[in-house]
Amino acid sequence: MDKLLALQQKIVPEIIPLLVARHQVLRAIHYLQPIGRRALAEYLEMQERRIRKEVDFLKSQNLIAIGSFGMQITPDGESLLLGLEEFLRQIQGLSALEKLISNRYL
């Protein structure tokens, strides 16, 4: 998997930051639902334009639902969120950092 990720980074270097940003938006919606775009932008300290773009993408993928009450995560979004957790921890080096801290203090 590391080799595939390295190849993807060469051809599409924006893939990891984009994945992390979309995961962050999806996770925030999960924790704060129902939430509006403006409140989400303030919470994540992102521009509303960027939030609108990411929200439109997540909606097109049926990962969130948007109503008059705000945005909520769909069952597909819940499933994806859970599936991405460990993958993103590895990509961001959090698993290795956790192991290092654990070894140091045990």
Side-chain angles (χ1 to χ4, degrees):
M1 181 159 80
D2 290 337
K3 191 173 185 178
L4 177 60
L5 192 57
L7 290 172
Q8 287 175 335
Q9 279 290 94
K10 288 246 185 225
I11 194 83
V12 190
E14 67 275 3
I15 196 167
I16 298 302
L18 184 58
L19 178 65
V20 170
R22 287 183 177 163
H23 177 263
Q24 184 181 25
V25 170
L26 192 59
R27 189 179 63 213
I29 293 170
H30 169 73
Y31 289 128
L32 302 170
Q33 63 187 330
I35 186 168
R37 279 195 288 245
R38 182 172 294 151
L40 184 62
E42 288 175 13
Y43 177 79
L44 293 174
E45 298 178 351
M46 288 181 161
Q47 293 179 346
E48 269 189 76
R49 182 183 313 169
R50 173 88 189 269
I51 291 293
R52 191 176 315 114
K53 179 182 172 189
E54 299 306 340
V55 161
D56 288 344
F57 175 81
L58 294 172
K59 184 176 186 278
S60 75
Q61 298 298 310
N62 194 35
L63 300 174
I64 63 170
I66 302 174
S68 59
F69 49 83
M71 297 175 283
Q72 289 185 308
I73 195 166
T74 65
D76 288 346
E78 289 274 352
S79 178
L80 181 68
L81 197 58
L82 291 173
L84 282 176
E85 288 296 327
E86 184 57 34
F87 178 69
L88 285 173
R89 294 175 77 72
Q90 289 177 357
I91 287 175
Q92 294 174 319
L94 296 177
S95 295
L97 183 60
E98 288 171 345
K99 189 173 183 178
L100 180 68
I101 291 170
S102 176
N103 289 341
R104 184 173 177 106
Y105 291 104
L106 290 180

